[in-house]
């Protein structure tokens, strides 16, 4: 049976954007959150985001909301669409469909709250997932964190958390923070430097972590890692082992 468009019910509802912005601070994976300054969920923690304008592109809306609510700008280091969330009960004000984005950034300056946010801060992901968030943001954050953890296995995405020039030790600290496990330094170094296209030396060194000068690296030209950097619990024979 053919259904004409005029016979279909198409109720209007707003579209929103939400952002899972992750960084590594104090050796912990942290997410950018706001304290809501208005109802619904006034006083609760939530991901930054808001409604999309009628003539606004989704990505433009995501960047605008982030600046308005937190003062954080320029997330094009790594920004990807995470998913679409459309449960009719996700927002008590009525039906709202949200398009969520995942952003990974090097350690950033403290955010500044604005717009309808009473406060903004970087907080450890573990604490946020243990205590819950407004709307369905617990689910969105959880799925964003798992996306990041999984992509660190098969892509050079961990370098998005690093400064333009980084040491292998700094890169290992990123993996440890995101995966939540301790890795053997020698095996990790061998794995990273032996994976074609993962990293390449800059020809410079640094003593910023103390001790002997350490070589600086930048991201290589690989889009996928062969072999993959599998999480220790997924592959005990991968050559990157937990010391716990």
């Amino acid at each position: 049976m053919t259904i004409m468009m005029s016979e279909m019910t198409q109720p209007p509802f707003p579209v929103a954007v939400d952002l899972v912005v992750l960084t590594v601070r104090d050796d912990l994976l942290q997410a950018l959150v706001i304290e809501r300054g208005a109802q619904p969920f006034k006083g609760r923690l939530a991901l930054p985001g808001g409604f999309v304008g009628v003539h606004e592109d989704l990505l433009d809306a995501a960047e605008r909301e982030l600046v308005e609510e937190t003062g954080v700008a320029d997330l094009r280091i790594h920004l990807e669409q995470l998913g679409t969330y459309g449960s009719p009960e996700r927002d008590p004000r009525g039906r709202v469909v949200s398009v969520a984005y995942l952003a990974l950034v090097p350690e950033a300056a403290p955010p500044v709250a604005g717009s309808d946010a009473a406060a903004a801060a970087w907080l450890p992901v573990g604490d946020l997932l243990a205590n819950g968030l407004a709307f369905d943001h617990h689910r969105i954050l959880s799925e964003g964190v798992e996306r990041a953890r999984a992509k660190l296995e098969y892509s050079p995405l961990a370098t998005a958390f690093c400064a333009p020039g980084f040491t292998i030790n700094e890169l290992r600290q990123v993996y440890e923070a995101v995966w939540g496990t301790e890795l053997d330094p020698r095996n990790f170094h061998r794995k990273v430097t032996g994976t074609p296209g993962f990293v390449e030396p800059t020809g410079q060194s640094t003593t910023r972590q103390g001790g002997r000068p350490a070589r600086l690296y930048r991201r290589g030209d690989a889009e996928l890692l062969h072999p993959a950097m599998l999480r220790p619990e997924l592959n005990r024979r991968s050559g990157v082992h937990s010391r716990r």
Side-chain angles (χ1 to χ4, degrees):
M1 180 178 65
T2 302
I3 300 178
M4 303 298 293
M5 290 296 294
S6 60
E7 299 175 2
M8 299 176 62
T9 301
Q10 299 182 16
F13 48 79
V15 176
V17 289
D18 290 302
L19 290 112
V20 177
V21 186
L22 302 178
T23 194
V24 174
R25 295 168 60 91
D26 302 323
D27 296 326
L28 293 172
L29 182 64
Q30 301 198 18
L32 182 60
V33 291
I34 64 164
E35 178 187 331
R36 287 188 56 79
Q39 296 293 353
F41 302 111
K42 183 178 181 179
R44 292 277 304 278
L45 294 180
L47 298 174
F51 293 110
V52 179
V54 175
H55 303 292
E56 193 173 29
D57 180 80
L58 288 172
L59 184 57
D60 291 340
E63 293 179 333
R64 173 185 55 76
E65 285 290 344
L66 192 65
V67 172
E68 289 179 357
E69 292 195 340
T70 70
V72 175
D74 189 16
L75 291 183
R76 294 185 182 273
I77 293 175
H78 180 84
L79 182 64
E80 66 178 75
Q81 194 171 120
L82 175 63
T84 304
Y85 300 83
S87 170
E89 293 80 29
R90 65 178 304 273
D91 192 320
R93 293 169 293 188
R95 183 70 182 272
V96 177
V97 172
S98 179
V99 180
Y101 286 86
L102 172 65
L104 308 181
V105 300
E107 184 171 347
V112 178
S115 183
D116 61 349
W122 294 102
L123 294 177
V125 162
D127 294 344
L128 294 172
L129 293 179
N131 296 314
L133 296 167
F135 304 101
D136 56 353
H137 291 183
H138 182 280
R139 175 189 173 190
I140 297 174
L141 175 60
S142 179
E143 293 182 2
V145 169
E146 180 53 35
R147 170 80 66 86
R149 286 172 174 164
K151 294 193 78 167
L152 259 62
E153 296 184 59
Y154 61 85
S155 79
L157 194 57
T159 59
F161 288 107
C162 298
F166 53 85
T167 67
I168 298 298
N169 184 55
E170 290 168 343
L171 185 63
R172 175 174 56 82
Q173 291 172 340
V174 167
Y175 271 90
E176 291 181 335
V178 177
W179 283 351
T181 188
E182 191 175 358
L183 304 175
D184 182 85
R186 289 187 178 183
N187 286 336
F188 182 83
H189 191 286
R190 175 178 57 82
K191 184 79 171 179
V192 169
T193 57
T195 300
F198 190 174
V199 298
E200 58 184 32
T202 66
Q204 299 176 317
S205 62
T206 181
T207 57
R208 61 184 174 228
Q209 292 187 312
R212 299 173 58 185
R215 297 178 72 181
L216 287 173
Y217 292 81
R218 55 177 168 254
R219 176 175 172 166
D221 58 5
E223 295 298 325
L224 297 175
L225 302 181
H226 299 287
M229 300 281 293
L230 298 184
R231 281 176 272 186
E233 64 270 24
L234 297 181
N235 187 1
R236 299 295 183 180
R237 301 177 181 177
S238 65
V240 182
H241 305 288
S242 170
R243 294 187 290 168
R244 290 179 177 173

